[in-house]
Amino acid sequence: MASMAESNHDHDSEHSTVDECATAPEYGRALSSARRISMAEDRYDVLVGLPRLEYNLMDHKKKLFLVSGLLVLEGSILPLVLFYPLWYATSIRHGILFAIITSFFGLVSGLEFAHRSWRLIHKNDKYRPLDGTRWRFDFTHWTLSICYTIMTGILIGASIPHEPLVRPLAVPVPIFFIGAGTLCIVTGTMSALGMKTACKVSSIPKGEPQLPYVLTAVEDVVGVDGGGARPFRRRLLERYKVSREFRRLIAELNWFWGIGSVVSGAGSLAAVWVIPQQEVAYGVGWGEPFVFFVIWTWITVIWTRRGLRREKKLWAADSSHEKGVVLESTTDTQTTN
């Protein structure tokens, strides 16, 4: 699938037209810049023509660890820490118990969501997608809006009965992973088949080749939440445009997260309904996605580091080969003359 995506991408990239630049000038400039960079020599004579992302996660590690830790606390640890002591060690009514748990859901993510909303709608377009307008947000923002609405609706609806519905209250996170994984699989398939976007997807204009959602997620999350802003969005697309190995890495990670998320979410969902004890089922629904996320993130970090090292190694080798060919050609010409 990854090789199919590369082939289709190469084919489509050769057919960029003036109309594309007219409807999406910033996106067109990013593609043109990518072509220029790929033919230019790096000023340090290292990794000739490979666009630099110029973003280091460690420069933002304090915010990264703080926000990530709070989101994990809200989305997995806190519901379990509150549920079992209040369920077994107190006589509190179950409706009040789940009202307490639900009141904490969305507290951290809601504040972060509001913060990124403000960054996207601010009259300064620093964080918006390329060619984006003030009220369009980005693709990840719309995706999260739909997911949070569904998850919150389930939590509120299942908490309303006098005796809350414990099993439905355990499924929001598995449903989120199923949705996110399905999005990765659908966009990965579209990218492999060379299909076009049906609407603007963050910085990708409508009618352009669809890119895997993992790339869009990286663009949006780093561009807005990580402070990379529009320059990072542009450099990321430039890198994807010119580097075959980078496209391969993105496609592989997209399938890895897509298939893994769907399997994990579906497995958790099935376990919640099959396990006889609803108290145990509740723990599985909130705990298993956390375990999956930690393992998949750890593997992704290792995979990405190795993939980027391989990309740079192959790019350097190709650049050296091209230099050798040019040098031989120049020498032969001088000898003939």
Side-chain angles (χ1 to χ4, degrees):
M1 280 292 192
S3 60
M4 288 175 61
E6 292 168 13
S7 176
N8 284 318
H9 182 278
D10 292 340
H11 175 74
D12 290 329
S13 65
E14 295 173 357
H15 292 81
S16 59
T17 63
V18 177
D19 292 337
E20 294 169 1
C21 296
T23 56
E26 287 186 284
Y27 179 72
R29 285 196 294 271
L31 298 188
S32 299
S33 175
R35 287 191 288 270
R36 289 196 302 271
I37 291 173
S38 66
M39 295 184 290
E41 288 197 8
D42 187 274
R43 56 185 168 178
Y44 300 109
D45 200 30
V46 177
L47 301 181
V48 178
L50 183 65
R52 298 169 183 263
L53 296 179
E54 297 181 13
Y55 187 88
N56 188 350
L57 283 176
M58 291 299 100
D59 294 338
H60 308 268
K61 60 184 178 181
K62 290 184 178 179
K63 180 183 178 182
L64 174 67
F65 292 141
L66 176 61
V67 175
S68 299
L70 290 175
L71 288 174
V72 168
L73 178 67
E74 173 197 288
S76 179
I77 298 175
L78 193 59
L80 298 177
V81 169
L82 290 175
F83 173 74
Y84 287 106
L86 292 177
W87 184 274
Y88 288 110
T90 71
S91 58
I92 187 172
R93 188 167 67 84
H94 293 164
I96 297 176
L97 183 156
F98 283 109
I100 294 172
I101 296 176
T102 304
S103 67
F104 283 101
F105 179 79
L107 183 61
V108 177
S109 55
L111 291 174
E112 182 63 22
F113 193 77
H115 182 237
R116 82 184 318 272
S117 297
W118 172 249
R119 283 187 162 186
L120 288 169
I121 66 174
H122 195 273
K123 61 182 179 180
N124 182 344
D125 64 354
K126 178 180 179 181
Y127 296 100
R128 288 201 287 270
L130 305 183
D131 305 297
T133 56
R134 186 172 184 179
W135 302 103
R136 290 287 296 272
F137 296 113
D138 56 28
F139 190 76
T140 297
H141 199 84
W142 288 113
T143 302
L144 290 175
S145 298
I146 295 172
C147 289
Y148 281 146
T149 300
I150 294 173
M151 295 167 71
T152 303
I154 293 173
L155 289 173
I156 294 175
S159 300
I160 290 176
H162 181 74
E163 185 60 32
L165 307 175
V166 176
R167 296 182 192 275
L169 286 167
V171 302
V173 179
I175 288 178
F176 174 83
F177 275 101
I178 292 174
T182 301
L183 185 58
C184 288
I185 292 173
V186 170
T187 56
T189 301
M190 291 177 66
S191 177
L193 297 177
M195 298 175 66
K196 309 292 185 179
T197 56
C199 61
K200 180 173 171 60
V201 180
S202 290
S203 295
I204 310 302
K206 177 182 178 180
E208 286 295 296
Q210 176 68 59
L211 305 184
Y213 178 65
V214 160
L215 184 76
T216 303
V218 171
E219 177 198 337
D220 293 341
V221 173
V222 176
V224 180
D225 307 277
R230 291 159 73 90
F232 175 81
R233 293 180 184 271
R234 184 176 297 108
R235 289 191 295 267
L236 183 70
L237 293 175
E238 290 172 354
R239 180 73 159 258
Y240 188 83
K241 170 75 175 179
V242 305
S243 175
R244 181 185 298 272
E245 285 300 318
F246 190 70
R247 293 196 296 274
R248 181 191 297 275
L249 174 63
I250 292 296
E252 291 172 347
L253 290 175
N254 189 75
W255 290 112
F256 177 67
W257 275 97
I259 296 174
S261 296
V262 170
V263 171
S264 172
S268 298
L269 197 61
V272 166
W273 294 105
V274 170
I275 295 175
Q277 298 81 11
Q278 63 178 5
E279 298 83 2
V280 176
Y282 186 85
V284 171
W286 287 96
E288 191 280 338
F290 168 69
V291 175
F292 162 79
F293 181 77
V294 170
I295 294 174
W296 247 239
T297 300
W298 177 67
I299 295 174
T300 297
V301 170
I302 297 174
W303 195 337
T304 301
R305 286 177 176 174
R306 291 180 178 176
L308 292 177
R309 284 198 295 267
R310 171 183 167 83
E311 176 202 20
K312 293 175 182 178
K313 181 179 180 180
L314 293 177
W315 187 277
D318 290 343
S319 299
S320 300
H321 176 70
E322 290 175 5
K323 283 184 177 181
V325 171
V326 172
L327 183 60
E328 286 182 16
S329 175
T330 303
T331 304
D332 292 342
T333 303
Q334 291 175 349
T335 302
T336 302
N337 293 335

